[in-house]
Amino acid sequence: MSIRLRENISSAYVAAANRLTSRRARRRIVAYVESYDDILFWRSVLGRFEDSTRYFEVMLPSKTTHLERGKKAAVMSLVGGRMGSDMIACVDADYDYLVQGRTAASRAILDNPYVFHTYAYSIENMQCYAPSLHDVCVAVTLNDHAVFDFEAYLRDYSEAVFPLFVWSVWAYRCSRYRDFPLADFLRTVEPGGFSVEGVADDLARLRHKVGKKAAFLARLYPKAREEWESTRDDILRLGVTPATTYLFIQGHHLFDKVVTPMLKKVCNALVREREIEIARQSKHSVQRRNELSCYSGSLGDVAFMLKKNNGYIDSPAYRHIVADITRMFGRDGHNGGEGMVRT
């Protein structure tokens, strides 16, 4: 199919193409996503809904637009009368879910039943789902010793950044993001280093930075206190909690600046532990070298394993995505679940 034709495709076109096939043929449903990295995630979601009557084909909008800046723009350009039950869009929620219709992009996502979103900021946030991170460490190090509490750390991190996160969402809801841009928020909530032994000190420094910035914004906007409280209450209603804020901040920042550095430090400790164990149990130097070489060759890469992590299937955000698609296409082949508020 030519790029020009693909860029003008619609649900009606796909439906017409389906009617030209055999009556026994499965109905093809096109699902457009933002980038290559999104294809596997949405394939894992939509695959649950395939049966003898239908299948999904997950693809990018075109060979050119997905390489441009603003990947979502390529997908959202398809939204409108062109979407339907035979052609859907699947996108990262970003802040559009939390902005709740106060921008055109947010309205396009929330008001169109054929647009599905992640609820969490992006798929990277879901790959960093705290209860799944120990399994990522095991995949990297082949060491199942739980030496660090990931859930407690990301809960404490989330609670530390939550007050400033409310300010960030408020800024985008009130079109004041130039005064408090996302980049400024991300610089403030970056841990700036991680130490397994010094977690308490790291979090204390983070709380100090966040508190200082939040106090500055409160002085800058002295009349915004009620709006801040209203924003806080609203995002709590939407499923954000102080303990799960990490799922709603920018995904690349969480992945690259918070979770990956943390996992690398923990995995390094687990590798050293295993190497010491191998050295202690080896009967001679040749056996030790062979065992260490074998173990070293079996180690995985943290970022790669995190990208392949699918432990998010137990998360509220994932369950809500499944619930949304169930409402559109019927029951899936797995157990459903309750989710967050779509409004």
Side-chain angles (χ1 to χ4, degrees), residues 2-4 6-7 34 36 60-71 73-75 77:
S2 69
I3 294 174
R4 187 170 183 178
R6 181 178 291 179
E7 288 176 347
E34 300 177 56
Y36 291 115
L60 300 170
S62 77
K63 295 180 180 179
T64 56
T65 54
H66 71 274
L67 298 177
E68 298 171 358
R69 290 180 62 86
K71 295 178 294 182
V75 176
S77 65

Side-chain angles (χ1 to χ4, degrees), residues 301-318:
D301 177 75
V302 168
F304 177 81
M305 291 298 182
L306 192 56
K307 281 285 186 184
K308 300 300 181 183
N309 179 30
N310 65 354
Y312 50 73
I313 61 174
D314 294 324
S315 69
Y318 184 85

Side-chain angles (χ1 to χ4, degrees), residues 225-282:
R225 182 65 188 181
E226 290 186 3
E227 292 179 354
W228 183 93
E229 292 175 349
S230 176
T231 300
R232 177 200 60 197
D233 294 344
D234 198 30
I235 65 175
L236 290 172
R237 179 184 65 84
L238 293 171
V240 183
T241 69
T244 60
T245 312
Y246 75 97
L247 292 172
F248 301 92
I249 68 175
Q250 189 192 58
H252 287 300
H253 176 86
L254 178 73
F255 192 102
D256 296 334
K257 302 297 185 180
V258 181
V259 173
T260 297
M262 171 180 64
L263 286 179
K264 285 182 177 179
K265 291 291 182 67
V266 174
C267 286
N268 287 342
L270 289 170
V271 169
R272 286 195 299 272
E273 180 183 80
R274 180 66 76 214
E275 289 174 342
I276 291 172
E277 180 183 350
I278 290 172
R280 186 176 64 249
Q281 294 178 350
S282 298

Side-chain angles (χ1 to χ4, degrees), residues 23-239:
R23 292 183 178 180
R24 297 180 182 178
R26 292 192 298 169
R27 168 187 163 207
R28 171 176 172 257
I29 303 171
V30 173
Y32 282 121
V33 298
E34 300 177 56
S35 71
Y36 291 115
D37 289 339
D38 297 338
I39 291 176
L40 179 60
F41 173 82
W42 287 105
R43 155 55 41 195
S44 72
V45 178
L46 296 170
R48 301 167 62 116
F49 296 86
E50 294 182 331
D51 55 25
S52 60
T53 67
R54 63 173 175 243
Y55 72 97
F56 293 86
E57 184 175 356
V58 184
M59 64 175 65
L60 300 170
S62 77
K63 295 180 180 179
T64 56
T65 54
H66 71 274
L67 298 177
E68 298 171 358
R69 290 180 62 86
K71 295 178 294 182
K72 182 177 288 187
V75 176
M76 297 311 293
S77 65
L78 300 167
V79 173
R82 298 169 63 187
M83 288 293 171
S85 58
D86 290 87
M87 192 176 84
I88 62 176
C90 304
V91 300
D92 288 340
D94 298 340
Y95 270 4
D96 294 322
Y97 169 56
L98 300 181
V99 168
Q100 284 292 289
R102 289 167 174 81
T103 66
S106 179
R107 290 191 294 274
I109 287 177
L110 299 182
D111 296 345
N112 194 315
Y114 304 107
V115 178
F116 300 93
H117 63 85
T118 54
Y119 289 90
Y121 191 99
S122 69
I123 63 171
E124 285 84 4
N125 300 74
M126 301 181 74
Q127 290 163 345
C128 295
Y129 185 53
S132 70
L133 294 182
H134 173 69
D135 289 346
V136 175
C137 282
V138 174
V140 171
T141 68
L142 307 181
N143 186 344
D144 196 20
H145 185 196
V147 298
F148 187 74
D149 192 338
F150 298 106
E151 294 185 58
Y153 176 78
L154 285 175
R155 181 193 64 232
D156 292 343
Y157 172 85
S158 294
E159 291 174 348
V161 306
F162 179 74
L164 196 60
F165 176 74
V166 177
W167 277 112
S168 182
V169 176
W170 168 85
Y172 277 77
R173 284 186 166 199
C174 299
S175 298
R176 294 184 180 272
Y177 46 84
R178 289 185 178 84
D179 297 329
F180 185 40
L182 184 60
D184 195 0
F185 168 73
L186 296 177
R187 281 193 297 270
T188 306
V189 302
E190 183 176 340
F194 175 85
S195 169
V196 176
E197 299 80 12
V199 167
D201 292 337
D202 294 339
L203 288 170
R205 286 192 295 270
L206 177 65
R207 293 188 189 96
H208 176 73
K209 284 198 302 178
V210 168
K212 186 176 179 180
K213 186 66 176 182
F216 168 78
L217 291 169
R219 291 192 301 271
L220 186 63
Y221 300 106
K223 298 181 180 180
R225 182 65 188 181
E226 290 186 3
E227 292 179 354
W228 183 93
E229 292 175 349
S230 176
T231 300
R232 177 200 60 197
D233 294 344
D234 198 30
I235 65 175
L236 290 172
R237 179 184 65 84
L238 293 171

